[in-house]
Amino acid sequence: MLAELLESPRSVAESRGPDRGYWRRLLPALALLACVTRAPSFLRPLWNPDEGYLAVQARILATGGELYTTVVDRKPPLVPWLYEAAFAVSGSGSLTSVRVLAVVAQLSTALLLASLARRRWGDGAGRTAGVLYLLVSIGLNPEDAQAATFEVFILPCTAAAMWCADRRRWGAAGAAVACAFLAKQTGGAVLVPVVWLLYRHGARRTGLVRLGVGAVLPVLCAALVTDPAGFLFWTVTGSGAYASFTGSELHVLGRGLANTAILAVACAGLVPPVVRVLRIARTGSAELWLWLASSAAAVLLGFHFFGHYYLQLIPPIALLATAALQILPRDRLARAVLTSVCCCTLFLTWGLLAPRPDLQHAQRLAAAVAQRTDPGDRVLVWGIHPEIYWLADRTPASRFLTAGLLTNYSGGRNGPQVGEKYAVEGAWPVFRAEMAAHPPALVVDDSRDKPYAPNRVPSLRRLLAGGYEEAGTVDGAVLYVRERN
């Protein structure tokens, strides 16, 4: 009985056809909840360096720049394009338009999960899945959960892939997998449960062809629109050093354990029902377990364990909890929702009150950069806070927006395997050519004794010694201006 309930791909709700009244009632409730849970995101100019990176990329693209040539990153192009489109509508001086897109992304994910649950287990399950997902969706450090970065835009794509596969729409499922990959490479992990559903439904040949075409064609188009060789290098082949944690094992594993614990607190209402059902029977919902397992593998990939990586785990956890709650006593549902509301309130309070010292540092440094340069000047910020370019409204002197790409520090390294020799392959000759062709008017050394400080990077040290003089400090960052001839 349990296995039949969990495995059933169809429900009474589907047999009677779509109920517009159901969605008219549920959509406003979920929309309100999405707005409430993401309200803290609108209270800060930005939440983390990834948002700053994307904002600078979007400005460069808007002025004729090109991904993987004029500006580079280890990510696919979809999210930079979303930022560029948002800025085209509302201007690039604020991330408010991108925050709205993030709310829409979370709401879309909740609706897709609600539809999946309703199809399988009925109307009540649809409401449960949508509400539980949104309550848990902010259950991380606010700089990870509230930021409008890559993982937030992966989520509706992965949910859409499962929604389409559940309905045997293989071409659309493949396109959704492609969109998830184009948001961030790890989004492609949803292909695993999608292929399982294809196998389970018996659509092995024609379905596989449609799935393959749907998944490959958008990626090929994105590569052709940008630069095929650059796309391949920056999204696949050029991240070998980044994907290793040799020498930083304790530092990285400590971060992983901390973020796992934080998410466990957020899921305090969801995990007990799942564990309870596992004690009763270990069958059912194989595709949901595969979705969770493939998402966990995506979190592990690269061995960095940043908090925002964990967002991919939340949709399958919400559906597994919804499935479990369908066969448990009704008081378990009330307990799960109440616990999730309490945890959500805790994370909302954290988001509203948490101090952001890194943001304050970036703002002070950006003010100093704007004061010491003219709008047309190029600036080099040697650090891991590209938002300084955006806050100061100055053009980066290099396509490499952080020192991480030139030293491998961007992976959160704490010392080992950080330095010039660990840079992205071929980066330093390009960087030196950029500095020779367009010397920056101002160099900001924001390393503050980190492992990528100039005394550990010979090429940067020579650049500063060959034509720059110290002009002051801001919060420990050293400013260098070009010497007058």
Side-chain angles (χ1 to χ4, degrees), residues 13 16 19 21-27 29-30 33 110-119 121-135 318-319 322 325-326 330 333 337:
R16 68 171 180 250
D19 182 353
Y22 176 85
W23 294 109
R24 280 199 298 266
R25 292 187 296 271
L26 184 59
L27 176 57
L30 293 182
L33 185 56
L111 289 170
L112 288 164
L113 295 179
S115 181
L116 275 165
R118 186 188 184 223
R119 172 180 166 86
W121 306 299
D123 289 356
R127 291 188 290 269
T128 299
V131 168
L132 288 179
Y133 170 75
L134 289 173
L135 290 174
L319 281 181
T322 300
L325 289 167
Q326 303 314 301
R330 190 164 185 81
L333 173 59
V337 173

Side-chain angles (χ1 to χ4, degrees), residues 150-165:
F150 303 96
E151 286 77 12
V152 168
F153 296 107
I154 285 176
L155 299 177
C157 301
T158 57
M162 292 296 290
W163 188 93
C164 292

